């Protein structure tokens, strides 16, 4: 299909729009230490970014009990919120490109593994409270890679899957897009290496966010 047929651009948040991966890894390690669990590798933590937090913790620590999970989540949230006293920056080119997409008439949306409270906090920090047509967070729908959050975004915007594009840095983003019958774009600068994302057949892989605007403009 032509690039000009897309009407809706859906973005993951952490590692795609926002340079927050290091803080997520640090917070997961801090929560592990405070909860008495053995540390996972940085690579292992990066491998679960994109999942909802409970699903991410259970993936890293399959034997964790329900009570331990609650405590672990609290430790993670405490550490992450403290780090976010100074908000994680957007990647270079994100704000300018999003402004251009809005001016060109695209619907814009966010589909994230964050919880709603955390997403609302970062949207406010960047002045994006009313910026997107719709945002979906993992604790108000099914976690990635289930396609429910994308289906809800499509329904809200009145757009067919073939007219939408999911942009993300993790396998869960691209798997979710495939499960929803939607094209995807992989970013190479986030949680997972571009090579690992090729199995999900993204239409494009970008090394800088502004490359997406250039690609979409080539109708």
């Amino acid at each position: 299909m032509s690039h000009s047929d897309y009407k809706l651009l859906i973005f993951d948040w952490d590692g795609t729009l926002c340079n927050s991966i290091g803080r997520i890894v640090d917070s997961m390690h801090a929560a592990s230490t405070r909860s008495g669990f053995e540390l996972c590798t940085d690579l292992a933590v990066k491998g679960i970014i994109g999942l909802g937090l409970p699903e991410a913790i259970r993936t890293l620590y399959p034997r964790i009990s329900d009570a331990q999970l609650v405590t672990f989540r609290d430790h993670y949230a405490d550490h992450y919120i403290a780090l976010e006293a100074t908000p994680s920056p957007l990647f270079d080119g994100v704000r300018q490109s999003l402004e251009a997409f809005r001016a060109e008439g695209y619907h814009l949306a966010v589909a994230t593994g964050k919880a709603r409270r955390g997403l609302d906090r970062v949207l406010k920090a960047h002045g994006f409270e009313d910026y997107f047509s719709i945002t979906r967070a993992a604790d108000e729908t099914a976690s990635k890679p289930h396609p429910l959050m994308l289906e809800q975004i499509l329904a809200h915007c009145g757009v067919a899957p073939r007219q939408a594009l999911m942009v993300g840095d993790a396998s869960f983003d691209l798997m979710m897009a495939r499960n929803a019958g939607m094209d995807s774009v992989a970013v190479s600068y986030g949680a997972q290496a571009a090579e690992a994302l090729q199995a999900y057949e993204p239409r494009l892989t970008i090394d800088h966010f502004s490359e997406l605007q250039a690609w979409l403009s080539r109708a």
Side-chain angles (χ1 to χ4, degrees), residues 16 20 43 76 89 107 116 122 158 168 171 179 181 194 196 200 209 211:
T16 299
S20 49
L43 188 62
Y76 176 92
H107 291 287
R116 170 52 62 183
V122 296
S171 58
N179 291 339
Y200 305 99
F209 193 81
E211 294 172 23

Side-chain angles (χ1 to χ4, degrees), residues 55 61 141 203-205:
E55 292 82 5
Y61 300 103
T141 182
R203 289 288 309 275
L204 174 73
T205 299

